[in-house]
Every structure is written in structure tokens, then in C-alpha cells.
Amino acid sequence: MKTTILILVFITLSTIYTQEFQKVPFITNTGNNFDFGISGYTYSDIYITWINEIDSLYTVYVKKISPIISKDIIVSSDYQLKSNAQIVHGKIAWQVSDKNGWQIYLRYFSNDSLGSTFLISDESVNNEQMTLANSRIVWSINGKLVGKELNPSISDMFTIDSSNCSNPDLDKSFYDNMDESAIVYEKEIEGKRDIYYARQQKYESDDWVKSSIYSDGDNKKPKFHNGFLILFQTKKDSVWNIAFGNIYSTDFAITSNKYCNYENPFIFDYPVPTSSARAITPFLLIFNSDSLINDTEIYAAPLLSYSEGSGDTILNISSMEGMDFEPDVCIVEDSSKYYVSIFWIHESNNKKDIWVARTLFIPAWGDVNDKSLNKLPFILSQNFPNPFNPTTKIVFQIANFGFVSLKVYDILGNEVSTLVNEEKSAGNYEVEFSANVGGSNLSSGIYFCDLKAGGNRFVRKMSLIK
């Protein structure tokens, strides 16, 4: 497998931003605060969920953090050990330990109001093996990768991979939908861990198509990002490096750290065009590293350029006594300004809290020279909302300039609407479809959205319910 070396440009983040990251404690409730998850990453309502432990009482909390900060809301509270709180699109999931192992619970959440709680699985025996997305939840049971659909209702359990699987991460972007799903995970092969990718397209088959996408050395903790970027830890010469790249090319860039471990990686990106018209610019690589003796710190590295033969330039974000680990990053709105916000767990004096460091978000034009990372995939996202009445939005992405056709058909194959029928440049597009198209009034039922571009075709099923 071809491997490129990731080289970080010799600039400081102060040349990118107009100010440095300012760090402050963010969640410091009495007791320990840990295992947090963030919902939403750019220009949207953003929530954080986390677990608090005090005197053996474990509580799952949720609160809005952008564009305003709301009060803490209790999701679940009792004396059972809890872990791995996650929130995605109005669904909160967490794990609970009892004498039989780890159970998985899910609760619906909308407009700061909590809905019903569901027991998803009482068979999970591994901690921190669950991953949540908009349309499904997946976890590992003794190496078997299984899951359940969440829309329109909770389904029976299905199997993705039958053995030696761990640490799954579902695609949590807007590409996630009821008819298509993608996941990355670890799979032990001959004593080492490979990174695997599985994809399901229900309009073609219910089967999951699985493949190894990285098998060089030992690898762990894969993460899916924005529907086509993945990143993970890979061990080189007894040191944990970070690899990341495009799921469609499987040509991964790798950090060049030689003397300390880079762990728990996260990428911050934003929609700024590059020289190759790619829709997303990888901008910051966030991770924790053990580069200080008996200490762990949060670091950020700028990703504006690639070349072979140089070293890394990184910025210490946390820079304080204690242990800092498991970072996450998003854009937070505050008084009509947007801030790049890095969250992490800080542990000192036997107490865990959640801290944040932020800086004003001022987009910079980047030039990513590694063409393998710039491949723009051809994608037709699931319409939203779905089911819909009377209108719904359709987002699609095309790889090259050319003629594009986007049409809607009924279940009998009759064309009911032409939404796009013209030449377009590579990029992202959004159109609206109405059940009252052309003055008609479409009846409830199943419709199909058909995208054609550059010899490729993508079809999505849509449900109109009146």
C-alpha cells in the first residue's frame, strides 16, 4: 500500500488566526466530569453530553453550548457505573454497567426536552465499544459487530462483521441516512489490528460490503469524518503516529513524530475551496501527546501544506499541570461571532473536568497539494427531512465539471419533477423539492430521487406522508 508522510508547515497558529487559543474550564460540576460527546460541528445548534460522578452517583447530562449556553439537563441518574455518552441529531446514547456487563441505553432529545428511554442492548460486555449516528447505533459483542436501525423505529439487531472487531465509528455527517451507512473499525488479523471499512446501500442490498483499508503495522481508534475522511492511530517504530486520508483513495498521510505518541486524533475542517476545488479543507489536526514526562497535553497542528522531508510544528493548547486527553473540536457561536473551540478532559488533584480553548474563526485559503486527499466524491445525500410534507431539501456533490441531471420519479417510474438539468462545476449543491410541484398535489407514498453526472448515477428513496 502506498504511504505518504504528513509534514506540517513551519508556521505558528498565530499566523493563521488573529489571536491565540484562550483556555478556560467549561464544565466543573462537583465530582468528576468525563466521557463527553458533542453534537454538531459547524454553524448549527450544538449540544454537549457528558457523565458526572459524585459519591458513586452517576449522571448523564446534556446542555446546549451554541449559539447560547443553556442549563444542565439530567438525562439519567443512578448508582450504576456509566460511560461513553454520545449525542447525534436529537439522540443521546450511553452505556451502563451491571453484574452482567455493559448495557446500552438511548433517549430521544429535542428542543431541550427529553423523550422516551430505550434499552438498546443488554448483551454488550465491552466498555466504550458503542457508536451512535443519526439513523443507527452499532456496538461490539465479544468481537462481533452488530447494530440496530433507529429510523423510523428501533429495528431488530443486525450483524455487520462476525469476529475480531472493536472500536467502531459510524459516519455521523449529513451523508448518514436510512438507506446508506458507512463505518470504520478495528479488526484483529494474525495478532495485529487492521483498519476496516464497511458500507451498506439498502437500495442495492441489505448486505454490508467489508474491506481492509489499512494493514501496515498495528492500528487503532479509527474515526469517520464528514462522510469521506478517516483518521486513526498507527504504530511506527514503537511510537503511535496519526494517519488520515480519503476513504475513496485509501492513500493515507502519516505524521512524522518519532519520539512521542500522538493519540486520540481529531480533525477540524471547513468549506473553503482549494486548488483542486475540494469542498473541505483539512485545517487543524488535534490530538493529545505524552511528550512531557508524566504528563499529557493537547496539541494542534496546522494542515495547510504537504511536502516530504520536514518535521512537525505543533502548538500546545492545554499547557498546564495535570493530564489532558481525548480532545474534540467544533465551531461555537458567541454574540454573532464564531470560534474554533477545542474541548478535552483535564485531570488534576484526583478530579476530572471538561475544558475548552477557543480562538476567533477566520477562514484562510489553503492549498492541499496531496491530490489523493482532494478527491471530491460523487454523493447524493438523503433528503431532509424524510419523511417530508410538503417540502424537503436535497444535497448532492459532484466530482467534476459536466452535465448534471436530478429528477424525481414516482414508484411506477413516472417522472414527476426535473430539479436540475444543466452543466455544473464540481462542488456541493442544495435544491428543494415540493409535493406541490407544477401546481399538482402529489399523494403520500414513495418517490425516488435520481442523480446522474459524469457517467455516474445515484438514487435515493424519499417518503411523502401527508
Side-chain angles (χ1 to χ4, degrees):
M1 177 179 293
K2 179 183 176 184
T3 301
T4 56
I5 303 298
L6 166 64
I7 304 302
L8 308 177
V9 293
F10 285 90
I11 57 178
T12 65
L13 293 183
S14 61
T15 64
I16 302 172
Y17 295 114
T18 59
Q19 63 188 68
E20 294 182 351
F21 281 90
Q22 302 295 319
K23 65 178 183 291
V24 294
F26 187 70
I27 294 175
T28 59
N29 298 1
T30 302
N32 290 308
N33 302 280
F34 57 97
D35 279 10
F36 70 94
I38 294 176
S39 170
Y41 292 97
T42 56
Y43 313 117
S44 63
D45 289 345
I46 298 176
Y47 291 84
I48 186 170
T49 184
W50 74 98
I51 295 172
N52 173 269
E53 181 272 327
I54 179 171
D55 297 332
S56 299
L57 176 68
Y58 290 86
T59 303
V60 180
Y61 284 101
V62 66
K63 69 186 302 179
K64 181 184 285 189
I65 60 176
S66 177
I68 61 173
I69 297 179
S70 70
K71 64 180 181 179
D72 298 353
I73 299 173
I74 294 176
V75 179
S76 176
S77 185
D78 55 44
Y79 288 93
Q80 288 184 293
L81 177 63
K82 296 176 176 59
S83 73
N84 199 15
Q86 298 183 28
I87 178 170
V88 178
H89 301 303
K91 303 174 183 69
I92 303 171
W94 67 97
Q95 293 178 232
V96 176
S97 177
D98 64 12
K99 61 182 180 180
N100 298 316
W102 288 89
Q103 300 175 326
I104 298 174
Y105 285 85
L106 179 135
R107 191 165 190 181
Y108 288 89
F109 178 74
S110 178
N111 297 323
D112 295 346
S113 297
L114 291 163
S116 301
T117 301
F118 296 91
L119 175 62
I120 297 296
S121 171
D122 58 1
E123 300 178 88
S124 181
V125 296
N126 296 321
N127 190 16
E128 299 181 359
Q129 296 285 289
M130 173 265 294
T131 176
L132 174 68
N134 180 41
S135 299
R136 56 193 54 81
I137 187 169
V138 169
W139 65 97
S140 175
I141 303 176
N142 293 327
K144 185 178 181 180
L145 203 60
V146 299
K148 289 185 177 182
E149 304 288 346
L150 301 179
N151 292 327
S153 60
I154 298 175
S155 72
D156 294 335
M157 191 170 69
F158 57 82
T159 299
I160 299 172
D161 200 336
S162 58
S163 63
N164 301 323
C165 303
S166 59
N167 283 324
D169 191 54
L170 280 163
D171 174 17
K172 298 176 178 64
S173 71
F174 65 83
Y175 302 119
D176 167 57
N177 56 76
M178 291 184 289
D179 289 334
E180 179 179 354
S181 182
I183 187 171
V184 290
Y185 57 99
E186 301 170 18
K187 187 174 177 68
E188 185 173 339
I189 305 292
E190 298 180 350
K192 63 183 184 67
R193 288 169 292 184
D194 291 357
I195 302 299
Y196 262 65
Y197 170 68
R199 185 179 184 186
Q200 180 194 53
Q201 294 177 296
K202 282 194 170 183
Y203 53 85
E204 295 180 357
S205 170
D206 286 335
D207 295 335
W208 287 80
V209 178
K210 303 176 288 290
S211 63
S212 173
I213 58 174
Y214 197 85
S215 59
D216 185 11
D218 197 22
N219 310 282
K220 68 177 183 178
K221 293 189 176 180
K223 286 190 174 74
F224 226 136
H225 188 71
N226 261 333
F228 54 90
L229 285 177
I230 68 165
L231 61 161
F232 53 91
Q233 293 177 214
T234 183
K235 185 172 284 189
K236 304 293 181 184
D237 299 323
S238 300
V239 173
W240 285 108
N241 298 78
I242 296 170
F244 77 93
N246 192 314
I247 195 69
Y248 295 93
S249 67
T250 63
D251 184 15
F252 296 102
I254 303 176
T255 57
S256 58
N257 53 301
K258 298 179 180 179
Y259 307 109
C260 58
N261 293 302
Y262 287 1
E263 299 182 295
N264 297 311
F266 214 98
I267 280 184
F268 167 70
D269 58 22
Y270 58 89
V272 171
T274 65
S275 59
S276 62
R278 186 176 179 275
I280 300 295
T281 298
F283 194 55
L284 291 178
L285 180 64
I286 313 297
F287 55 92
N288 59 251
S289 176
D290 58 356
S291 59
L292 300 177
I293 297 176
N294 297 322
D295 198 0
T296 302
E297 301 282 354
I298 305 298
Y299 290 90
L303 302 179
L304 293 182
S305 176
Y306 297 85
S307 62
E308 297 234 10
S310 301
D312 295 348
T313 292
I314 61 178
L315 176 69
N316 190 327
I317 298 295
S318 53
S319 186
M320 56 184 170
E321 294 183 0
M323 307 296 287
D324 300 283
F325 50 94
E326 295 183 4
D328 202 340
V329 60
C330 65
I331 292 181
V332 170
E333 183 180 356
D334 184 4
S335 301
S336 299
K337 294 183 179 179
Y338 294 92
Y339 294 85
V340 179
S341 302
I342 301 173
F343 296 83
W344 70 90
I345 299 172
H346 172 69
E347 182 176 5
S348 63
N349 299 321
N350 297 315
K351 177 171 168 49
K352 294 179 181 178
D353 289 318
I354 300 170
W355 281 58
V356 64
R358 70 180 198 173
T359 190
L360 190 65
F361 176 51
I362 301 177
W365 286 83
D367 181 12
V368 181
N369 296 316
D370 187 337
K371 301 304 181 184
S372 68
L373 298 179
N374 290 330
K375 182 179 178 182
L376 190 69
F378 172 76
I379 292 176
L380 173 63
S381 301
Q382 187 65 47
N383 61 300
F384 182 83
N386 189 46
F388 69 97
N389 180 33
T391 62
T392 186
K393 292 182 179 180
I394 300 169
V395 176
F396 64 94
Q397 183 171 273
I398 57 175
N400 302 295
F401 174 82
F403 191 83
V404 178
S405 169
L406 181 64
K407 298 183 178 182
V408 177
Y409 297 88
D410 64 19
I411 199 168
L412 299 178
N414 300 310
E415 181 181 327
V416 298
S417 179
T418 297
L419 302 177
V420 179
N421 195 45
E422 61 184 0
E423 290 184 333
K424 285 188 173 295
S425 299
N428 289 319
Y429 296 91
E430 179 182 297
V431 297
E432 185 178 89
F433 172 67
S434 173
N436 301 321
V437 58
S440 63
N441 188 9
L442 298 178
S443 59
S444 298
I446 300 299
Y447 294 85
F448 296 92
C449 185
D450 187 350
L451 174 67
K452 297 178 182 177
N456 298 306
R457 185 180 186 185
F458 224 133
V459 179
R460 291 283 187 210
K461 182 172 65 176
M462 307 187 299
S463 298
L464 172 61
I465 297 179
K466 293 186 174 181

